[in-house]
Amino acid sequence: MAGPYFRKGLLAAAGLLVADQLSKWWILEGLRLPEKGSIELLPFLNFSMVWNRGISMGIPLGESLGRWGIIVLTGLISLWVAKWLFDTAKKVEAWGLALILGGAIGNIIDRFLHGAVVDFVHLHALGYSFYVFNVADAAITIGVVLLLIDGLRPDKKGPKNAQKVGDSTADHKGESS
């Protein structure tokens, strides 16, 4: 049986996927960024066209896996995330998983259609330049942060509080100190 947040999580993932693909369509077809290369929007923000053939942050794993290997690997990870979303009963965890799932599928679509991920958001300031990214990448990052926050929060059934549950009635004979 699906967890209580599965349907909402799938809807959120689908909404994110649509927003990601619309933004990439606009960058490629409306703004025609590949022809322009880069457009300065603000002193710290450009739209800069980058075709990411690697994995996260340009890690060149694509050279050894190839286009289809990355698509298959990301697809398998997406299925695992979807199963996790199906099983979870935790709201924050579900939102994190939905963001990761929608973002991963958005980037899979790019690799399938273009052979690379369409990256275009370029933040830079004070001589520092951040990796160029897209809506899907931002969603995946936020999703991972949500999972980390959720994992660090105390849980009544978590290992940090496991002993507290049985302290009042437990017989502590045989415990070492």
Side-chain angles (χ1 to χ4, degrees):
M1 174 120 179
Y5 300 107
F6 181 65
R7 286 186 68 185
K8 288 181 181 178
L10 282 184
L11 287 173
L16 174 76
L17 174 61
V18 168
D20 174 64
Q21 290 300 300
L22 284 175
S23 71
K24 292 170 181 174
W25 174 84
W26 180 73
I27 285 295
L28 295 174
E29 302 298 327
L31 196 56
R32 298 198 173 289
L33 192 59
E35 297 167 13
K36 297 173 182 168
S38 186
I39 298 171
E40 183 178 346
L41 301 173
L42 297 169
F44 59 89
L45 173 66
N46 292 12
F47 281 164
S48 298
M49 189 65 224
V50 173
W51 293 101
N52 183 354
R53 298 188 193 299
I55 299 222
S56 181
M57 295 179 272
I59 296 170
L61 192 56
E63 294 171 10
S64 58
L65 284 178
R67 173 182 176 186
W68 298 107
I70 293 175
I71 289 172
V72 168
L73 177 64
T74 310
L76 291 171
I77 292 169
S78 297
L79 288 173
W80 175 69
V81 170
K83 170 70 169 104
W84 186 0
L85 177 60
F86 182 84
D87 292 337
T88 192
K90 297 168 68 178
K91 188 175 187 175
V92 174
E93 185 174 81
W95 284 112
L97 293 168
L99 289 170
I100 293 168
L101 183 61
I105 293 171
N107 285 342
I108 288 172
I109 290 170
D110 284 9
R111 290 186 189 285
F112 185 77
L113 294 176
H114 309 292
V117 174
V118 177
D119 287 336
F120 58 91
V121 179
H122 183 201
L123 296 171
H124 54 87
L126 305 171
Y128 178 76
S129 179
F130 191 71
Y131 291 100
V132 179
F133 61 97
N134 59 43
V135 172
D137 298 335
I140 291 168
T141 301
I142 293 167
V144 168
V145 168
L146 287 175
L147 290 180
L148 288 171
I149 289 169
D150 189 61
L152 293 173
R153 293 186 325 173
D155 188 10
K156 293 178 183 172
K157 297 179 185 175
K160 290 181 182 176
N161 296 319
Q163 189 174 358
K164 292 179 187 174
V165 172
D167 272 350
S168 62
T169 59
D171 182 7
H172 298 287
K173 292 180 186 172
E175 286 185 6
S176 60
S177 41

